[in-house]
């Protein structure tokens, strides 16, 4: 299955023009040599942040009947807060209890990237990853924990430097079975 995010078309020329107007409206002159190309760099940077790489969902039969927890820890997360368009960065822990098929391990990181590459809120991102994996892998359980630092909170407003936000979504047996849930949380370093 080919997974592609359709961003609706990126117009870099229009984005560059808008970035120039934005900087000008904030009183930032782009006349100096070091700022002359900032508009274009800004447009390309946001285009990259909003463009996940397409991937093929690769799964394999669970021929051995493996039924224990599979956990990918510390998957890098980078996204942009949809309220201020400032970055948030952190890590995701993604676990599942296999059903009939198992994914290639890199697929877990690709799914996180797929949903992170758009203006986002962390709560939705966490749920989207978990729901997508439940739908496409049909596992016995899925769990996703994301911990991230939001620059909209650390660099502006309250300026709560060093703070982080943690969200979780636990589905199936990783929600309903206390032993499985505890194992996942212990292996991620999150206390239950």
């Amino acid at each position: 299955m080919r997974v592609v995010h359709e961003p609706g078309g990126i117009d870099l020329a229009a984005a560059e023009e808008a970035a120039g107007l934005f900087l000008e409206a904030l009183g930032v002159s782009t006349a100096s040599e070091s700022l002359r190309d900032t508009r274009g760099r800004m447009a390309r940077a946001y285009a990259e942040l909003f463009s996940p790489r397409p991937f093929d969902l690769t799964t394999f039969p669970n021929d051995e009947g493996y039924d224990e927890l599979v956990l990918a820890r510390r998957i890098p997360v980078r996204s942009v807060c949809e309220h201020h368009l400032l970055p948030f960065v952190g890590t995701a822990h993604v676990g599942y209890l296999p059903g009939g098929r198992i994914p290639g391990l890199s697929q877990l990181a690709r799914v996180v990237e797929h949903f992170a590459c758009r203006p986002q809120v962390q709560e939705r991102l966490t749920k989207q990853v978990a729901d997508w994996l439940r739908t496409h892998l049909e596992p016995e359980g899925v769990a996703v924990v994301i911990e991230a630092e939001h620059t909209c909170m650390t660099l502006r407003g309250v300026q709560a430097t060093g703070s982080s936000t943690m969200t979780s979504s636990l589905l199936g047996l990783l929600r309903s079975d206390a032993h499985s849930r505890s194992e996942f949380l212990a292996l991620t370093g999150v206390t239950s």
Side-chain angles (χ1 to χ4, degrees):
M1 177 174 111
R2 186 79 172 154
V3 180
V4 179
H5 172 67
E6 298 296 335
I10 293 174
D11 184 341
L12 281 176
E16 183 173 341
E17 183 179 337
L21 293 171
F22 175 73
L23 292 169
E24 184 180 304
L26 292 175
V28 177
S29 170
T30 58
S32 72
E33 183 180 346
S34 63
L35 289 170
R36 188 171 305 130
D37 295 325
T38 296
R39 298 176 308 204
R41 286 190 295 268
M42 220 172 121
R44 288 188 303 278
Y46 275 97
E48 181 180 332
L49 287 171
F50 298 155
S51 301
R53 296 171 288 189
F55 69 96
D56 293 311
L57 178 62
T58 306
T59 65
F60 306 95
N62 186 5
D63 292 335
E64 302 301 318
Y66 187 81
D67 63 358
E68 296 293 327
L69 179 65
V70 177
L71 173 62
R73 298 186 324 157
R74 295 188 292 275
I75 297 169
V77 173
R78 65 156 177 78
S79 192
V80 175
C81 163
E82 71 180 30
H83 302 132
H84 298 94
L85 288 187
L86 291 172
F88 65 91
V89 296
T91 57
H93 307 295
V94 179
Y96 72 97
L97 294 169
R101 298 193 66 79
I102 56 174
L105 289 176
S106 69
Q107 305 304 296
L108 302 176
R110 291 182 188 279
V111 172
V112 170
E113 178 188 84
H114 176 77
F115 288 105
C117 284
R118 60 193 76 179
Q120 194 54 283
V121 294
Q122 186 174 325
E123 298 88 341
R124 181 186 320 118
L125 171 60
T126 305
K127 186 166 177 7
Q128 286 174 329
V129 171
D131 288 345
W132 195 93
L133 290 170
R134 176 179 56 186
T135 299
H136 291 88
L137 295 181
E138 299 178 358
E140 297 299 318
V142 173
V144 177
V145 169
I146 296 177
E147 183 173 10
E149 180 179 314
H150 292 252
T151 59
C152 59
M153 193 166 109
T154 61
L155 297 180
R156 55 154 301 283
V158 71
Q159 298 180 11
T161 304
S163 66
S164 65
T165 300
M166 189 170 287
T167 51
S168 66
S169 180
L170 290 85
L171 307 171
L173 288 177
L174 286 168
R175 180 182 188 107
S176 63
D177 180 65
H179 175 74
S180 296
R181 182 176 58 250
S182 293
E183 179 184 13
F184 171 79
L185 295 174
L187 289 174
T188 62
V190 178
T191 59
S192 56

